[in-house]
Amino acid sequence: MSRRVRVAECAVAGLLLLLSTACGSRLPESDFETRPQRTPTQQGGDPIRVGIITSATSPVGGDTFTGPRDGAKAYFDRLNARGGIDGRKVDVRTCDDGGSGVGNNECVHELVDEDNVVALVATTALDYAGASRVSRARVPDIGGQPIGAAYDTYPHLYGIYGSLAPRDGEPGWDGKLYGGTEIYRYFKREQGARTAAVVSYNQSSSAAYARLVTRGLEAEGYEVVTEQVDFALPNFRAAAADLKEQGADLVFDAIDSYGNAQLCKAMDDVGAEVLAKVTNVQNWTSTVPEDYKDSPRCRNALWATGSSRNHEDTDHDAVREFRDATKGLETHSQWQLEGWAAAMWFTDAAKSCAGTGVTRACVDRFMDSGKAYTADGLLIPVRHERLSEPPKTRRTCVSVARWEDAEGWVSQGDMNDECFDVPQLSYKP
């Protein structure tokens, strides 16, 4: 894969970190007036059809986006083995959109119009071009990954991290989304960090995300060291030497996975030691030993942050069930766990329809209740509300884990206790 292609992954990772802390929605009652689907109400009967759209093949790599799909399928497989929903099996229809807008629209047409799915689950699309069509069809899209701004733009779409935005067809509020500074607050309060380095490429998406990270760090009182490397010929060794000279406690980045591995190697080569090399939920995977095989010191300074319970926290009953059901997978990741949680969310919504039949409208009503959802404790409580004005501050919790070669990803405290009242900063998606 060329470096010019790899940088797309950097932009995706950056957007994920931004949008995972952005805000969501509640629908008016009129939005529930939709045609019922052909699904029987009695116990047993025809399968309940759901769709999963994934950019399984895309410019950023074949397995980059498949985690949520694999987690959701594992959940539905186990659910069906236990009898399904009120005796009805869940029929999972998958579609690979190839990472393109054209392919995404084709998947939406296939699943929504031809297969007549009750809902979409765990959508993970590089270009969610068909989002407006899903919304117009009033198909609930449950637990999708917010790679773009769709989950803060359209009604009937419910991202895995929730949203407070109006979702009236325009992203966020007047085209602006909002995110908090809880990650930076955590490292300042819990780890005593005071100086942070932000590494980016001299490329527009990378540089824009780096500016937002810098802004958040400065809002939390950090001294910020910015390091920009050339996109085509990056000199990571020079950047590593400078952040060492500047005494950085933390390193954040707006670069791709390949670049991260090279940056870590350079940090080891120059002897740059930090409290934390901070990554996000997309890179919270079991492949760390292979990805960072050339940088043992930096590898053991990797920290991941997100909004879901560590997929290696098997002391927790719900995580243990997830791991048992996915033990046949070659690798494990946080995105798989979040796909599993998305499938559970749909299942709970469908179970609420026992009296009326599992229809798009009934499932949507459950999703739009405004009640917090945790997927049996796998998620920091998620809400979809609809606020006319963006919040200036918000109490936000964060899930944190640290990589240790001997143990893997080790949780740092409980995610429901690591909570902060933080300012909400605006940004354009």
Side-chain angles (χ1 to χ4, degrees):
M1 186 188 303
S2 71
R3 172 166 299 283
R4 200 164 293 277
V5 169
R6 284 195 194 102
V7 82
E9 186 175 350
C10 140
V12 169
L15 284 172
L16 277 169
L17 185 56
L18 291 177
L19 296 172
S20 67
T21 55
C23 310
S25 145
R26 175 183 229 131
L27 310 183
E29 288 299 315
S30 61
D31 279 347
F32 296 133
E33 299 169 3
T34 188
R35 294 172 296 177
Q37 308 303 304
R38 290 177 60 253
T39 49
T41 59
Q42 72 271 21
Q43 188 176 39
D46 294 340
I48 300 170
R49 193 171 295 167
V50 302
I52 302 177
I53 299 176
T54 308
S55 297
T57 56
S58 76
V60 298
D63 59 352
T64 302
F65 296 105
T66 55
R69 179 201 66 189
D70 294 344
K73 288 180 66 178
Y75 182 89
F76 287 131
D77 284 347
R78 174 157 289 201
L79 178 69
N80 286 338
R82 294 174 175 176
I85 299 172
D86 293 331
R88 298 175 62 191
K89 299 294 181 69
V90 176
D91 177 12
V92 180
R93 303 292 179 93
T94 62
C95 189
D96 174 14
D97 67 10
S100 74
V102 171
N104 188 262
N105 272 309
E106 290 174 350
C107 280
V108 168
H109 174 67
E110 176 184 328
L111 296 176
V112 171
D113 302 325
E114 296 181 354
D115 290 345
N116 201 32
V117 297
V118 172
L120 297 177
V121 178
T123 300
T124 313
L126 179 60
D127 182 359
Y128 198 178
S132 62
R133 295 179 62 183
V134 173
S135 179
R136 285 196 302 271
R138 300 185 177 187
V139 175
D141 177 344
I142 300 172
Q145 289 291 341
I147 295 171
Y151 291 97
D152 287 292
T153 301
Y154 300 107
H156 307 287
L157 274 59
Y158 304 94
I160 192 68
Y161 307 128
S163 180
L164 301 177
R167 291 190 300 164
D168 53 7
E170 183 180 30
W173 293 263
D174 296 324
K176 292 182 179 179
L177 302 181
Y178 288 76
T181 60
E182 61 275 4
I183 294 170
Y184 318 127
R185 181 77 60 87
Y186 169 85
F187 283 103
K188 184 177 182 181
R189 189 185 77 175
E190 300 297 327
Q191 304 301 320
R194 293 294 180 270
T195 302
V198 182
V199 183
S200 65
Y201 291 125
N202 60 344
Q203 186 265 356
S204 58
S205 297
S206 178
Y209 178 57
R211 286 194 297 271
L212 183 65
V213 174
T214 298
R215 185 179 167 207
L217 287 164
E218 290 175 342
E220 289 296 332
Y222 283 83
E223 180 180 343
V224 182
V225 178
T226 58
E227 305 286 349
Q228 190 171 89
V229 297
D230 185 74
F231 176 40
L233 297 170
N235 188 342
F236 288 114
R237 188 180 182 90
D242 189 57
L243 66 88
K244 175 187 178 182
E245 179 68 22
Q246 299 291 333
D249 301 315
L250 307 176
V251 177
F252 293 87
D253 69 84
I255 59 179
D256 57 347
S257 297
Y258 172 82
N260 263 293
Q262 295 304 303
L263 174 61
C264 260
K265 183 178 185 305
M267 289 171 62
D268 272 21
D269 288 345
V270 303
E273 298 188 31
V274 295
L275 289 173
K277 169 68 180 72
V278 187
T279 189
N280 57 58
V281 65
Q282 189 181 12
N283 298 312
W284 193 338
T285 74
S286 63
T287 62
V288 167
E290 299 84 51
D291 296 341
Y292 297 88
K293 63 181 183 299
D294 296 324
S295 45
R297 186 185 297 111
C298 180
R299 182 175 67 236
N300 282 279
L302 283 176
W303 294 59
T305 62
S307 298
S308 54
R309 192 171 297 278
N310 181 8
H311 69 268
E312 294 195 14
D313 188 6
T314 52
D315 288 339
H316 192 276
D317 290 345
V319 176
R320 190 161 56 248
E321 183 173 5
F322 158 74
R323 290 301 296 261
D324 181 63
T326 57
K327 59 188 176 185
L329 297 177
E330 291 184 5
T331 62
H332 285 93
S333 72
Q334 207 63 18
W335 265 15
Q336 290 169 358
L337 179 139
E338 291 181 353
W340 172 278
M344 185 188 302
W345 207 347
F346 166 79
T347 301
D348 287 340
K351 286 179 178 178
S352 77
C353 301
T356 61
V358 182
T359 65
R360 292 174 177 177
C362 180
V363 170
D364 196 68
R365 189 174 299 116
F366 178 93
M367 295 302 301
D368 193 51
S369 68
K371 296 178 181 178
Y373 187 78
T374 69
D376 287 348
L378 294 179
L379 303 175
I380 291 172
V382 182
R383 285 183 172 84
H384 291 92
E385 299 182 62
R386 185 172 186 156
L387 303 183
S388 59
E389 299 291 335
K392 291 183 172 59
T393 62
R394 191 180 181 193
R395 184 161 185 79
T396 309
C397 304
V398 60
S399 178
V400 184
R402 179 179 181 176
W403 178 266
E404 297 178 11
D405 279 347
E407 302 289 338
W409 288 107
V410 179
S411 299
Q412 305 297 302
D414 187 272
M415 65 183 190
N416 293 310
D417 296 330
E418 300 296 343
C419 305
F420 310 88
D421 294 304
V422 294
Q424 300 295 297
L425 306 180
S426 66
Y427 60 95
K428 285 234 178 232

